[in-house]
Amino acid sequence: MTSIFDENGKNIPCTVIEAGPCVVTQVRTKGVDGYEALQLGFDDKNEKHSTKADLGHFKKAGTVAKKKVVEFKFENEHKLGDVLTVDVFTEGEFVDVQGVSKGKGFQGVVKRHGFGGVGQATHGQHNRLRAPGSVGASSYPSRVFKGMRMAGRMGTDNVTVQNLRVLKVVAEKNLLLVKGCVPGHNNSYVIIQK
């Protein structure tokens, strides 16, 4: 993330995303696949780390193997091997950005679910400040209900942030500046949709 100044001198937080070039690696058609979509590949992959099936698939498009392959429903007409750049976006439009959120490991209920701790950490409690408290009833139903909020793994969820405004398009470097933050750590893959 970084920040830029607008024409009024206001400081706007933004995220810089490298969006392209993406190669059309497959064209889905209604006659063959039952739906219409484009498969786009991004970020070159080393040939020795690719399977022969991958190499054959990308050879049809006339490109090297790609690390990230995603399908998009496109209205426009594109052919196999076409290259889409950041020029498909325009300044001022709104996009949705999908990614995998940062993993935070095994966390307790206070951090994971926002619990206040037992008794809001008062009445002389000294060793149970961040405990979850009671989790179930007694003789009936004699079990803990499914979905009870407890400690556990936190993060690494698929998250979509909607309606982020495109502040700037830097075509020569394939960079896209969107207002606000996007899910995921630095250098992670995200999916941008109009």
Side-chain angles (χ1 to χ4, degrees):
M1 287 192 71
T2 183
S3 60
I4 60 173
F5 292 95
D6 65 1
E7 60 275 1
N8 301 322
K10 189 175 179 185
N11 192 359
I12 302 175
C14 61
T15 305
V16 181
I17 302 173
E18 183 184 350
C22 297
V23 181
V24 178
T25 55
Q26 192 171 10
V27 179
R28 303 279 192 183
T29 58
K30 203 159 217 141
V32 177
D33 304 294
Y35 64 98
E36 291 186 356
L38 285 183
Q39 186 187 84
L40 300 181
F42 175 73
D43 202 4
D44 291 348
K45 189 176 180 182
N46 196 329
E47 188 175 329
K48 75 172 188 175
H49 295 141
S50 307
T51 63
K52 291 206 172 178
D54 275 349
L55 292 173
H57 178 73
F58 292 111
K59 189 176 180 183
K60 288 180 187 173
T63 182
V64 298
K66 301 292 182 183
K67 288 182 183 176
K68 186 71 175 175
V69 178
V70 179
E71 276 191 7
F72 292 92
K73 290 186 178 177
F74 262 93
E75 303 293 325
N76 303 345
E77 287 294 322
H78 292 285
K79 297 187 299 295
L80 198 65
D82 285 356
V83 178
L84 299 178
T85 60
V86 76
D87 295 330
V88 297
F89 301 103
T90 56
E91 293 183 13
E93 73 176 340
F94 290 88
V95 295
D96 298 342
V97 180
Q98 177 186 344
V100 178
S101 64
K102 284 185 180 180
K104 292 175 172 39
F106 192 97
Q107 297 299 326
V109 292
V110 172
K111 182 167 184 174
R112 192 181 189 207
H113 299 295
F115 284 18
V118 175
Q120 306 301 319
T122 183
H123 296 296
Q125 301 194 37
H126 67 96
N127 62 351
R128 294 181 290 142
L129 304 184
R130 299 170 71 85
S134 175
V135 293
S138 181
S139 59
Y140 178 80
S142 298
R143 65 189 176 90
V144 176
F145 288 114
K146 278 186 178 177
M148 178 65 66
R149 293 179 300 166
M150 293 184 176
R153 287 268 182 99
M154 182 180 176
T156 60
D157 299 316
N158 282 322
V159 178
T160 302
V161 181
Q162 295 181 315
N163 297 326
L164 295 177
R165 188 157 52 91
V166 176
L167 298 175
K168 193 180 283 187
V169 177
V170 186
E172 56 273 9
K173 293 186 178 178
N174 285 312
L175 297 180
L176 192 70
L177 269 72
V178 294
K179 184 178 179 183
C181 58
V182 300
H185 56 80
N186 289 344
N187 299 320
S188 61
Y189 293 109
V190 292
I191 298 171
I192 309 168
Q193 288 181 308
K194 290 186 177 185

